Amino acid sequence: MRPLARRLAAGTVLSLALAGAAPAEPAPATTSVFSPANIAAGLVRGAISYARMVADIRYDGLEIDAARGGLVLRDLQIAGLGRHRNCRVALGRLQVSGLSLWSDAESRLRLDAAELSIANNCFGADAAMIGVVTGGASIPLAALSVDLRQAAGSGALSADIRAISPGIARIEASADFDYVSLLSPDFFEKITAASQADEAGAETDETPQIGLRGTLRAAHLSVENLGVWERLKPLLPPEASSPEALQALLTAEPGSALHQSQQGLVRALRAFMAEPGRVTAEIRPAEPVAFDTTLWAGPEDAATLFRPRFSNGLPTPPVALIADPATHQDNRALGLALAEGRGVPQNSRRAVELLTPLREDAEVALALARLTADTDPALAYGHALRAAAQGVTGAAGVLERIEARLGTADLLAAQEAAETAPPEGSFASTQALRDAALAHERGEGVTRSYALAWRLATLAAAAGDGPAQALMARLEARFGADPIWLRARDRAEELALEDWTRRKLAQRLAEGRP
């Protein structure tokens, strides 16, 4: 492969991989050909047409729900050609929802497949062994679902996977990452080396190392036997299930984290063999665990880091559950739990009742803003202003989204008026005036107020400050000739002129003294 082609191919693959789940904001309801669902459907049809060069592919229908960002593929049949003619795949129904091209802080993508069947012959030499496990000529999946939730800004990702294979097993898994991303520490180094080898006419098969890097909050994997053990057990040698064989799994040094995990696994396997039911592995750390899979030499490194717990029961909830909200003594904690549906069923009305008296609390104010954004944007904006002024993570984004839904009158009514007295230190210098104006424009450390920002910016701009002039231009571009803004702006300018003369700012700013 030529150097340029190699770079393009590797760069494309890595870019697609790093893209992750597509950010999905509920897009405007549309039946446009450019709606996310229609674009996805076009890609599916194109991929099927291309794949028909190597297989016989038929489907009954491809239904598009552009308004909800979803598509449904029905009765898909795939049959191999030539020497692959015995490989057949059937899918009764595939539903994809949450498709969107619109970027937002939160996204959710869900895939649901039903009546999926993959012929054992698709796996070549392994077909016979797979047939022993499945008990038939194909791998049946009655249901397969994948639910992905992603925060584009923070890199957080939650995934839930469920697969049910009748007569074989039920598998459920979840992972909750505070941050996760693909990592290739030697990507550019290997690409450069490959390019140099190509230019020298040498062959190289070095490929970049790719792994995952992030912070894991919780995870679990649970496998329930639905018949697979009964088919596998006769194939195993008698000694495989003996106490001695299980004891041989304890390879780590006694007392180590890995040894404790191995002991838990051995106990769970003994119980499973005595009464075949379920084996569950859980990772429930007290604090999120940072990891980098490119540094792992094997599974033992992962087990040592995450310290999974093994059992034969259902996975435990990753959050503390509230048995009876009526007896809960902490209104703040209960209100936040009700707002999120975390540990107790979500109840927005009850959450607002409990949290409203505590609205001065920054985290509570942010929760109230989210709860009331749809029903009362003006009220929600006041809560968001309070939260953003105190620097709560996520408050600035909520503030902007609510603000975009408000008219000028409601917007300015919720903000502090131009008459509000700025901190005395705001008049100390041109830089102080400019910084105070920018802080009020952005709502950083103080409550957002465009009128106050204009009042202070005019004073700094009068001394020739460029950033203050740019701030004024931004506000003018935003509100233009809106009469409500013009009244607020004119009042701010009157107050600024009073500040200029009463505080003798011309002399103070010219001399550069506070």
Side-chain angles (χ1 to χ4, degrees), residues 439-463:
H440 280 290
E441 180 203 18
R442 298 168 182 164
E444 295 178 352
V446 294
T447 303
R448 174 177 288 180
S449 170
Y450 295 137
L452 264 179
W454 187 274
R455 173 181 170 182
L456 295 168
T458 57
L459 297 172

Side-chain angles (χ1 to χ4, degrees), residues 120-296:
N120 300 339
N121 287 320
C122 294
F123 300 93
D126 297 323
M129 179 56 68
I130 293 174
V132 172
V133 174
T134 62
S138 63
I139 303 173
L141 278 174
L144 172 64
S145 64
V146 179
D147 191 7
L148 301 174
R149 301 171 300 284
Q150 185 177 29
S154 67
L157 173 69
S158 295
D160 289 284
I161 301 172
R162 181 177 68 102
I164 301 175
S165 183
I168 301 176
R170 177 196 301 264
I171 300 174
E172 295 186 359
S174 72
D176 184 7
F177 297 96
D178 185 59
Y179 176 88
V180 67
S181 175
L182 286 176
L183 174 68
S184 181
D186 58 353
F187 177 77
F188 293 106
E189 176 185 340
K190 292 290 179 66
I191 294 300
T192 301
S195 297
Q196 292 172 348
D198 279 342
E199 292 169 358
E203 291 293 331
T204 177
D205 59 355
E206 288 190 359
T207 56
Q209 182 184 18
I210 297 179
L212 288 176
R213 175 180 175 273
T215 309
L216 181 68
R217 286 190 287 231
H220 88 269
L221 172 64
S222 184
V223 181
E224 180 184 1
N225 171 51
L226 298 180
V228 65
W229 173 250
E230 286 72 17
R231 282 191 286 274
L232 283 177
K233 186 176 180 181
L235 303 178
L236 298 176
E239 62 273 13
S241 58
S242 66
E244 293 77 13
L246 292 176
Q247 196 68 21
L249 296 175
L250 299 175
T251 59
E253 181 180 351
S256 65
L258 180 57
H259 189 267
Q260 293 176 1
S261 293
Q262 289 176 343
Q263 283 183 318
L265 175 59
V266 168
R267 286 194 295 268
L269 290 177
R270 284 175 179 165
F272 177 85
M273 290 177 179
E275 186 177 349
R278 180 191 302 269
V279 175
T280 298
E282 296 182 84
I283 301 172
R284 301 282 189 255
E287 297 292 336
V289 179
F291 66 92
D292 180 350
T293 64
T294 63
L295 303 177
W296 294 351

Side-chain angles (χ1 to χ4, degrees), residues 38 110 119 205 227 238 242 264 269 273 357 375 401 414 468 488 504 507 509:
N38 277 324
R110 182 174 177 87
D205 59 355
S242 66
L269 290 177
M273 290 177 179
T375 57
R401 287 192 289 275
K504 298 182 173 57
Q507 179 181 358
L509 299 181

Side-chain angles (χ1 to χ4, degrees), residues 307-332:
R307 301 188 179 190
R309 300 195 305 267
F310 295 90
S311 72
N312 300 100
L314 291 167
T316 58
V319 298
L321 303 183
I322 300 173
D324 185 358
T327 62
H328 205 278
Q329 300 300 312
D330 188 341
N331 284 350
R332 181 183 185 276

